[in-house]
Amino acid sequence: MSTVLIKNGVIYDGTGDPGVSGDVLIKDDRIEKIGDLGVAEADRVIDAEGRVVCPGFVDIHRHCDAKPLNDPLFGKRELAQGITTTVVGNCGISLTPCPETDAGAREMYDFDEAVLGPMELGLPRTYEGYLEALKKTPLAVNFATMIGTGAVKITVKAFADTPYTKEELDAARALIEDAMKRGAVGVSLGIMYLPECYSSTDEFAYILEPVGRYGRVITTHIRGEGDSMVESVREVIEIARKAGCALEISHFKSCGVNNWKKQIHEAIALIEQARADGQDVTCDFYPYEGGSTALTTMLPPVFVAGDMTKALERLGTPEGVEEFRVSSRKPYDDWDNFCVTLGWERIIISGVTKEKFKPMLGMTVTDAAKQFGYPDPEALAAELMHEENGKTAIINMSMCQEDIDTVAKLPYSNIISDAIYAATDTPHPRMYGAFPKVIREYVGERHLYTLEEAIHKMTGLPAERMKLAGRGVLKEGNFADILVFDPQKFTDHATFQDPAQMADGLDYLFLNGKLTIEKDQWVGEAHNGVLLTAE
């Protein structure tokens, strides 16, 4: 038995209530008592005078699925910004399920690398195997998992652009049923991405039926976040209604200059109506004006035609480059073409695998094409995708702050990072700083939130959304995931220009009752997380 007494802090319990002065007594992995505890005895006493004491941050949207299994340094960036719990398997992209054949797995890993990072063939291929691997692995943070319907579809029918057959629908639903049975906290959709963009509302509703039956949630990257954003929100609300499950709209935003300050309000009206009709619909956002994803998201589905491998090969031919040039300059009714709605001048190259392209990191596709002698941005984009086999990562400067603030103020919006793990020295700054950025900017500088509101949206609210029992709220009997910091000093340093900068100012971080960070430094092995599963 071990005990720690945190005295004289200002306790923000994660429920949204204002802070109150008091003490917190930790016993083993739980919160034993909260209040004015006087001279209670403990193995260690920490004076938190002038400090915030709050739950560890719960990041329900992060793409670190493979990192505990292949990166021994995983956790440093996360813990430094106060993240104690993360949920993986987002945007339809998950490590499992995965095709049984090595060729199929390699195709999926190459497609996912710009989001999940480099992966080798020795990784687990079933959800059961993934959980078993995680159970055997020291975890730097608490780890909850979903499976993605993109991974499900690739496993069942590769990147085919044809509808599911009845047998394939049943196979897809069986994979989701298995994940629900084994404790997945939800299922994610990535309808914008290949091959899910070929799926219909009714197909999604059919394969997702187990999610509703188990009382879990679907989180969804909608079909289009640009011109078709409102219709895309309508679609996912309908999918959730038909499947009978709760809905979390991932990184809720309106992209494209012509859509700013208009579409977000129409989409919110749809959400509000669904909620008024009794549907459980919420959303989340990250506190930046730029997003991050794979360059292959700029490939029109008509160009891919159900075969990603052949599409990437075709981009290495003059005919393929010209076909891509023509197809990428057209608007589509059923697919948001960011080549048009954003333009290459707003697409930043953020992650590459080959040395020859590294001088382009941090540049827009337009500027890099000019500087390095390409005839146009499409020619450079085609060469990147072809030579890097689709692994190039990008940042798209697609949003306006006014729209972000509108979403931020919704009482049911959660704060996420949406950090992706492409192998690069120039990641999106949200990898390093999303949560302390909210404390610094949204609370301290712009006063968009009170401190208790911000903490609630990073702790109690997301923990409740994903039904993470005993997490996200400082309450007697709950798990002792606790942060202690001075809100004037706890801050982010990562910017788009210089993103690989650690947050600092964290005095103490307790994870499952164990001191894990003290004065910004890891303590001991610092692998005190646990695997979380749905009950």
Side-chain angles (χ1 to χ4, degrees):
M1 183 185 77
S2 64
T3 55
V4 178
L5 179 61
I6 304 172
K7 289 190 62 67
N8 305 319
V10 182
I11 300 170
Y12 291 84
D13 65 6
T15 65
D17 288 344
V20 295
S21 298
D23 312 325
V24 178
L25 179 63
I26 300 169
K27 181 178 179 182
D28 296 330
D29 65 344
R30 302 275 181 161
I31 297 170
E32 177 78 1
K33 291 182 181 179
I34 299 176
D36 182 358
L37 303 183
V39 293
E41 291 187 2
D43 298 324
R44 178 168 182 181
V45 177
I46 292 173
D47 187 358
E49 182 77 37
R51 302 290 193 271
V52 166
V53 179
C54 74
F57 299 143
V58 178
D59 188 354
I60 63 172
H61 193 120
R62 205 167 177 94
H63 291 282
C64 48
D65 304 52
K67 288 295 125 177
L69 305 181
N70 64 15
D71 182 0
L73 296 179
F74 170 67
K76 284 186 177 291
R77 295 168 291 199
E78 291 73 21
L79 291 166
Q81 60 177 301
I83 296 170
T84 55
T85 298
T86 188
V87 178
V88 303
N90 289 282
C91 294
I93 301 168
S94 56
L95 187 60
T96 63
C98 180
E100 292 181 1
T101 67
D102 285 356
R106 187 70 268 162
E107 185 177 39
M108 182 170 127
Y109 290 168
D110 287 346
F111 180 69
D112 290 345
E113 182 170 322
V115 176
L116 302 186
M119 292 169 285
E120 299 302 328
L121 290 175
L123 292 166
R125 307 240 181 125
T126 66
Y127 186 67
E128 179 184 16
Y130 182 42
L131 292 183
E132 288 303 313
L134 289 173
K135 288 174 185 176
K136 297 173 184 176
T137 302
L139 297 173
V141 297
N142 298 321
F143 216 75
T145 62
M146 299 189 290
I147 65 166
T149 49
V152 167
K153 191 165 194 182
I154 293 168
T155 300
V156 171
K157 58 188 286 126
F159 286 87
D161 58 356
T162 55
Y164 277 113
T165 64
K166 179 62 167 64
E167 292 76 15
E168 289 169 341
L169 280 171
D170 289 339
R173 185 150 86 171
L175 288 170
I176 291 171
E177 175 88 34
D178 178 70
M180 294 293 96
K181 181 176 66 176
R182 297 184 189 281
V185 296
V187 173
S188 75
L189 288 63
I191 312 179
M192 174 182 173
Y193 295 132
L194 297 159
E196 293 186 80
C197 60
Y198 302 124
S199 291
S200 69
T201 298
D202 286 341
E203 285 178 327
F204 279 116
Y206 183 86
I207 67 173
L208 291 167
E209 181 274 338
V211 185
R213 184 159 30 88
Y214 278 81
R216 313 256 170 91
V217 63
I218 59 171
T219 71
T220 177
H221 187 135
I222 60 177
R223 189 175 296 274
E225 296 174 330
D227 293 349
S228 64
M229 181 256 200
V230 175
E231 282 307 309
S232 296
V233 169
R234 193 188 311 275
E235 177 187 27
V236 294
I237 290 173
E238 180 67 5
I239 289 170
R241 186 188 67 78
K242 287 185 173 182
C245 59
L247 169 66
E248 173 86 359
I249 300 176
S250 299
H251 37 64
F252 182 44
K253 57 184 178 285
S254 177
C255 299
V257 177
N258 293 333
N259 299 318
W260 290 349
K261 304 177 186 179
K262 294 179 292 188
Q263 285 196 343
I264 201 72
H265 300 286
E266 297 176 45
I268 289 170
L270 291 177
I271 294 172
E272 300 283 3
Q273 184 59 57
R275 288 170 62 87
D277 291 342
Q279 273 192 259
D280 183 359
V281 183
T282 56
C283 64
D284 51 54
F285 75 100
Y286 48 81
Y288 296 90
E289 294 171 79
S292 187
T293 187
L295 182 58
T296 50
T297 60
M298 310 292 277
L299 276 176
V302 294
F303 180 89
V304 177
D307 194 325
M308 176 60 72
T309 299
K310 287 185 178 179
L312 294 173
E313 289 174 356
R314 210 156 70 248
L315 288 172
T317 67
E319 297 79 12
V321 173
E322 180 59 23
E323 183 188 350
F324 171 59
R325 184 179 285 116
V326 171
S327 64
S328 67
R329 292 178 179 178
K330 295 178 180 178
Y332 296 88
D333 291 336
D334 58 349
W335 179 72
D336 266 340
N337 187 354
F338 280 179
C339 310
V340 174
T341 59
L342 288 183
W344 295 106
E345 68 275 10
R346 287 181 172 269
I347 305 299
I348 298 169
I349 302 165
S350 63
V352 296
T353 62
K354 294 198 171 182
E355 284 295 325
K356 65 177 286 187
F357 296 123
K358 287 189 177 178
M360 301 178 183
L361 288 171
M363 301 178 69
T364 68
V365 177
T366 299
D367 288 345
K370 289 178 181 176
Q371 181 166 325
F372 293 95
Y374 292 81
D376 51 38
E378 292 88 351
L380 171 56
E383 182 173 307
L384 280 166
M385 286 185 280
H386 170 70
E387 292 205 16
E388 297 216 322
N389 204 26
K391 298 176 183 180
T392 308
I394 58 171
I395 291 171
N396 45 50
M397 302 303 294
S398 56
M399 293 164 274
C400 74
Q401 191 64 54
E402 184 176 319
D403 282 357
I404 297 168
D405 290 352
T406 296
V407 175
K409 290 297 288 183
L410 296 172
Y412 48 81
S413 64
N414 296 288
I415 294 168
I416 61 169
S417 72
D418 192 16
I420 71 173
Y421 284 75
T424 177
D425 294 329
T426 54
H428 193 296
R430 65 194 181 187
M431 166 72 79
Y432 286 85
F435 292 87
K437 174 181 167 70
V438 172
I439 302 294
R440 172 184 59 79
E441 179 192 331
Y442 285 57
V443 176
E445 296 172 3
R446 296 199 294 119
H447 309 294
L448 190 74
Y449 289 142
T450 62
L451 187 54
E452 57 264 30
E453 287 173 332
I455 289 172
H456 176 53
K457 285 177 172 287
M458 298 188 288
T459 59
L461 194 64
E464 180 182 19
R465 169 77 288 185
M466 303 308 294
K467 296 185 178 178
L468 304 177
R471 311 284 172 181
V473 174
L474 298 186
K475 177 183 175 183
E476 292 178 2
N478 276 6
F479 293 97
D481 300 337
I482 300 174
L483 309 180
V484 180
F485 61 86
D486 181 341
Q488 304 301 317
K489 296 179 180 178
F490 180 41
T491 191
D492 62 314
H493 299 285
T495 64
F496 284 108
Q497 294 73 32
D498 193 9
Q501 303 297 313
M502 299 280 276
D504 62 19
L506 198 54
D507 292 305
Y508 301 95
L509 181 151
F510 290 88
L511 182 54
N512 293 302
K514 296 178 181 176
L515 181 61
T516 304
I517 286 184
E518 183 171 1
K519 306 298 182 186
D520 289 321
Q521 300 300 312
W522 274 26
V523 176
E525 292 298 315
H527 287 85
N528 300 318
V530 297
L531 178 63
L532 307 178
T533 54
E535 297 176 350

